[in-house]
Amino acid sequence: MPGQVRAQILDVGTPSTIDALGRLTGLLEAELKATNEAIVARMDSPVVLIPQLAAHIVAAGGKRMRPLLTLATAKLCGYQGTRQVKLAACVEFIHTATLLHDDVVDESMLRRGFASANAVFGNKASVLVGDFLFSRAFELMVEDGSLEVLRILSSASATIAEGEVLQLTTQNDISTTEDKYFDVIRGKTAALFAAAAEVGGVIAGVGAEECAALQGFGMDLGMAFQLVDDALDYAADQTQLGKTVGDDFREGKLTYPVILALAEANEQERAFWVRTIEQSEHTEEDLATALKLIQKYDVTARTIARADQFIDSAVNILARFPQSDVRSALADVARYTTARRH
């Protein structure tokens, strides 16, 4: 793999994330380096297109939040071995595979500010390489040898798929409730955060209560992470967001900001949401109108406030574990989630 790509794989953030993520990655420097090396090695294939396409999406950056959770919770629980390295790589492969598939389903042209893999290589290649990465992830699970780890990560993989399908069934449906929305993001996003955090405790050999606490921490963090993502789709600058602002709106996704705006809408505003979301009829001015309605009802701030509730719960869960530099850094990363802008 070219040296530039290899160097980019080691990137875990941007200047705005350095205080929170930088501290955590500094504490996990050796483990993270080994994880990145495992990712590079397991992306290799004699079929040239596979490492090319996989490297494309990995080189686009990202914060490595999910594998960092596995590394961090293992260390938090006092684990001294090396199993967390392959499992963190496994978690990243599951995540990357879902990104490849999601971009095809959503017809996304940007991923973290770069052309998406499907835009460069086509839909067929993206789907098939996503399948390859899922397969690599399951190889790593089997190599670990723990049935409990296999249960957690395989279950999370199935739950992610269920969440994506559930989102598909709610798309363009303005009757989608808050509860159904939370079911969607619990499946498509938070489940992998939860699994990534829990397996760190499993390999450390801590008790069932501690593992459940780690699972809860990851779940709360993942819920907040997706809520912020949904808020940013209506609030961020495209150059910061790394995708086209308003993608969720154009795709007819019933995200939390739209659900809140619909709850406050007058007859004329509701008719607008019916036309644009439910009937998928758009004009050039519609995104600007949607943004005005989001602003009118202070929806972005309310969405972030809901995310903050999940973060408060996540940080409270961490308090069950002994004080350490890793615990403190994890809490800082959690708090950063609702302050991020991309």
Side-chain angles (χ1 to χ4, degrees):
M1 179 174 295
Q4 182 181 9
V5 170
R6 191 179 293 269
Q8 287 173 311
I9 287 176
L10 297 176
D11 179 28
V12 291
T14 65
S16 64
T17 74
I18 192 66
D19 290 342
L21 281 174
R23 184 176 169 217
L24 182 61
T25 56
L27 293 169
L28 301 167
E29 184 176 3
E31 296 95 326
L32 184 59
K33 181 176 183 295
T35 299
N36 288 322
E37 290 171 351
I39 290 171
V40 171
R42 293 305 179 114
M43 286 194 310
D44 194 25
S45 168
V47 181
V48 176
L49 181 59
I50 291 175
Q52 283 181 341
L53 193 151
H56 175 84
I57 190 168
V58 171
K63 304 169 191 66
R64 306 282 178 261
M65 286 283 286
R66 296 153 188 84
L68 275 170
L69 284 179
T70 300
L71 300 177
T73 55
K75 198 176 191 76
L76 177 71
C77 295
Y79 180 63
Q80 300 293 320
T82 60
R83 291 169 62 193
Q84 77 276 36
V85 170
K86 283 186 177 181
L87 293 178
C90 170
V91 166
E92 183 67 1
F93 280 148
I94 294 171
H95 175 54
T96 304
T98 62
L99 294 184
L100 287 169
H101 290 169
D102 290 351
D103 284 346
V104 171
V105 171
D106 296 338
E107 299 179 348
S108 299
M109 294 294 103
L110 287 177
R111 168 62 61 184
R112 301 180 184 127
F114 292 82
S116 61
N118 52 298
V120 175
F121 298 95
N123 288 341
K124 293 179 181 178
S126 292
V127 169
L128 293 172
V129 173
D131 292 343
F132 170 84
L133 294 179
F134 267 127
S135 300
R136 280 287 192 247
F138 277 87
E139 286 180 352
L140 289 164
M141 293 180 215
V142 171
E143 287 176 19
D144 180 73
S146 166
L147 286 178
E148 180 65 2
V149 166
L150 181 60
R151 181 193 66 79
I152 292 167
L153 291 175
S154 62
S155 177
S157 298
T159 300
I160 293 166
E162 289 174 341
E164 293 290 352
V165 173
L166 183 59
Q167 178 173 262
L168 194 62
T169 66
T170 64
Q171 197 157 316
N172 307 111
D173 181 3
I174 65 168
S175 68
T176 299
T177 63
E178 286 190 22
D179 286 345
K180 182 62 69 68
Y181 165 80
F182 285 124
D183 285 343
V184 169
I185 67 171
R186 190 175 293 111
K188 77 167 194 171
T189 299
L192 187 56
F193 277 77
E198 185 178 5
V199 295
V202 170
I203 64 174
V206 298
E209 289 187 8
E210 287 86 354
C211 286
L214 292 172
Q215 193 269 352
F217 167 76
M219 183 65 73
D220 285 339
L221 182 60
M223 296 292 282
F225 195 89
Q226 187 60 55
L227 277 162
V228 173
D229 257 12
D230 291 348
L232 290 177
D233 193 68
Y234 289 93
D237 180 87
Q238 180 171 320
T239 58
Q240 293 181 317
L241 186 58
K243 67 175 184 176
T244 308
V245 171
D247 271 353
D248 291 345
F249 172 71
R250 281 180 285 266
E251 292 164 12
K253 291 181 179 177
L254 265 293
T255 58
Y256 199 62
V258 175
I259 291 171
L260 292 178
L262 271 165
E264 304 283 352
N266 59 36
E267 186 175 341
Q268 182 181 2
E269 292 165 354
R270 186 173 183 82
F272 167 81
W273 292 116
V274 169
R275 176 175 62 80
T276 56
I277 297 293
E278 197 159 80
Q279 299 173 354
S280 298
E281 296 178 5
H282 294 100
T283 68
E284 291 184 3
E285 296 79 24
D286 283 341
L287 177 59
T289 301
L291 294 175
K292 287 179 182 177
L293 293 176
I294 294 295
Q295 184 176 17
K296 175 181 178 180
Y297 295 111
D298 201 23
V299 165
T300 300
R302 291 163 62 192
T303 302
I304 297 299
R306 187 68 181 90
D308 277 329
Q309 293 176 7
F310 282 108
I311 292 303
D312 288 344
S313 174
V315 172
N316 286 337
I317 289 171
L318 283 180
R320 304 180 188 184
F321 294 87
Q323 176 58 45
S324 66
D325 289 343
V326 171
R327 193 190 86 173
S328 176
L330 273 172
D332 287 345
V333 168
R335 294 187 187 100
Y336 155 74
T337 298
T338 54
R340 66 193 178 92
R341 289 295 174 264
H342 59 280

